Amino acid sequence: MKSLFKSKPRTPQDIVRQTRDLLRLLQNTQRDDKMIELCKDIRELKSILYGNSESEPVPEACAQLTQEFFKDNTLRLLIQCLSKLNLEARKDATQIVANLQRQQVQSRLIASDYLETNMDLMDVLISGYENTEMALHYGAMLRECIRHQIVAKYVLDSPHMKKFFDYIQLPNFDIAADVAATFKELLTRHKSTVAEFLSKNYEWFFDEYNTKLLESSNYITRRQAVKLLGDMLLDRSNSAVMTRYVSSRDNLRILMNLLRESSKSIQIEAFHVFKLISSAYLLQIEASF
């Protein structure tokens, strides 16, 4: 007889709907009992997407969860309420958002479709770097979202790009490192989009890059910056930008100073870029004869 009253297992859609309802409730009130329930639901969503020690993720369940998640602004609600969750729930929520960026439903990345019409969420995530408590969660979400080319283009073309040069120099090491990882992802993942951005924004971008990063007083900032510079200039998609950069005497001066650094790592990375500049000058000399 007990089996007659046994509760029916919840579907992935049911869990998402309840999570959404609890997030809406959390926006207006703080109830401990509902918070506990919400954290459990978030943990269950993560388990569906990632599996657990006993089972692998079920593709059909993941697809159902993904489809329901991007209805009725669940992602927006989760980002808005993230600061109200406890630390473990925040970590789970961050992993959920990361996983959902890669989930396909009928061969479509519906996360990309959703973000295309909700780009203002990227403004929230980028500005999150100014919140010490939330920065790493927002940063991890942001990096996964810019896996979508349309999202990366939005961020590159936004006024927020200039903020990265200041965020990279934040005194909190972990946050600064996270910003640097996001910055690198933006400037290396989507080749054609990056090439277009650098060509259109060459003057202000490299002025900021040189003065705030390559000539920074912070050793780690300089080391990361010269490595990323080499990655950008050596990429074939950026050949026009590379030609322009290596033809500048000011850029040569900066590279010469980096070659004098006591750090072998900086010297090696600077030498790679210096070789490009030297090659450019040799070609100019040959062309003059």
Side-chain angles (χ1 to χ4, degrees):
M1 290 296 292
K2 288 182 179 180
S3 61
L4 294 175
F5 301 101
K6 190 174 182 180
S7 60
K8 183 180 178 181
R10 294 190 300 168
T11 66
Q13 295 98 318
D14 291 335
I15 303 169
V16 174
R17 291 184 194 114
Q18 179 165 306
T19 300
R20 188 160 55 230
D21 290 342
L22 290 170
L23 286 169
R24 284 174 177 152
L25 182 63
L26 186 61
Q27 281 187 309
N28 303 312
T29 184
Q30 188 80 20
R31 287 178 52 181
D32 291 341
D33 59 332
K34 294 300 181 183
M35 179 63 76
I36 292 171
E37 195 174 351
L38 174 60
C39 292
K40 287 181 178 178
D41 284 344
I42 290 174
R43 174 57 60 91
E44 195 164 350
L45 292 176
K46 176 189 168 184
S47 181
I48 293 171
L49 291 170
Y50 286 92
N52 52 46
S53 59
E54 299 177 358
S55 61
E56 293 291 320
V58 178
E60 185 179 353
C62 291
Q64 291 171 357
L65 187 159
T66 304
Q67 202 157 23
E68 184 63 38
F69 191 91
F70 289 104
K71 290 180 182 178
D72 297 328
N73 285 323
T74 312
L75 177 59
R76 181 178 296 276
L77 286 165
L78 188 59
I79 290 173
Q80 290 173 341
C81 295
L82 196 66
S83 62
K84 297 185 178 183
L85 303 177
N86 63 39
L87 181 58
E88 287 305 311
R90 287 177 195 169
K91 291 179 180 178
D92 290 341
T94 301
Q95 289 180 282
I96 288 168
V97 172
N99 187 292
L100 287 172
Q101 304 313 308
R102 311 175 193 194
Q103 290 288 342
Q104 293 191 19
V105 178
Q106 297 179 346
S107 301
R108 287 188 64 82
L109 288 169
I110 64 174
S112 180
D113 296 337
Y114 176 84
L115 290 173
E116 186 174 358
T117 56
N118 292 272
M119 287 296 192
D120 62 297
L121 290 177
M122 298 304 101
D123 304 334
V124 176
L125 295 180
I126 295 170
S127 297
Y129 276 127
E130 297 170 19
N131 183 330
T132 305
E133 186 179 359
M134 301 301 300
L136 298 183
H137 301 292
Y138 286 137
M141 289 183 176
L142 177 62
R143 273 193 303 284
E144 291 299 326
C145 289
I146 60 179
R147 292 172 64 88
H148 309 299
Q149 189 163 7
I150 193 166
V151 177
K153 179 174 174 53
Y154 171 82
V155 176
L156 286 167
D157 292 340
S158 75
H160 294 298
M161 269 307 290
K162 291 187 178 182
K163 294 181 181 179
F164 279 95
F165 292 100
D166 296 321
Y167 290 160
I168 285 176
Q169 301 177 80
L170 287 170
N172 184 302
F173 174 81
D174 291 334
I175 296 176
D178 195 275
V179 175
T182 303
F183 192 64
K184 179 180 179 180
E185 184 77 0
L186 274 169
L187 292 168
T188 56
R189 174 171 283 275
H190 304 288
K191 308 297 186 183
S192 60
T193 300
V194 171
E196 181 183 0
F197 165 77
L198 292 176
S199 296
K200 287 182 178 179
N201 299 275
Y202 179 91
E203 294 291 347
W204 76 259
F205 179 84
F206 282 107
D207 182 59
E208 294 280 286
Y209 200 98
N210 288 347
T211 57
K212 292 187 176 180
L213 303 186
L214 290 178
E215 295 183 311
S216 168
S217 60
N218 185 289
Y219 159 74
I220 295 176
T221 300
R222 294 196 307 278
R223 188 184 69 187
Q224 292 175 332
V226 70
K227 172 69 168 63
L228 178 57
L229 178 66
D231 291 342
M232 287 191 293
L233 297 183
L234 288 169
D235 193 296
R236 291 182 179 179
S237 300
N238 298 326
S239 58
V241 172
M242 182 272 288
T243 301
R244 188 173 178 183
Y245 188 89
V246 302
S247 64
S248 165
R249 291 186 177 181
D250 286 338
N251 295 339
L252 176 61
R253 173 187 59 77
I254 292 170
L255 266 296
M256 290 293 288
N257 288 335
L258 289 170
L259 284 169
R260 297 190 186 101
E261 290 263 0
S262 59
S263 165
K264 290 293 183 183
S265 296
I266 290 180
Q267 287 180 6
I268 291 170
E269 297 299 338
F271 181 68
H272 291 320
V273 182
F274 181 75
K275 283 192 298 185
L276 291 175
I277 294 178
S278 300
S279 298
Y281 275 112
L282 287 173
L283 289 173
Q284 288 178 4
I285 292 172
E286 291 176 1
S288 64
F289 286 101

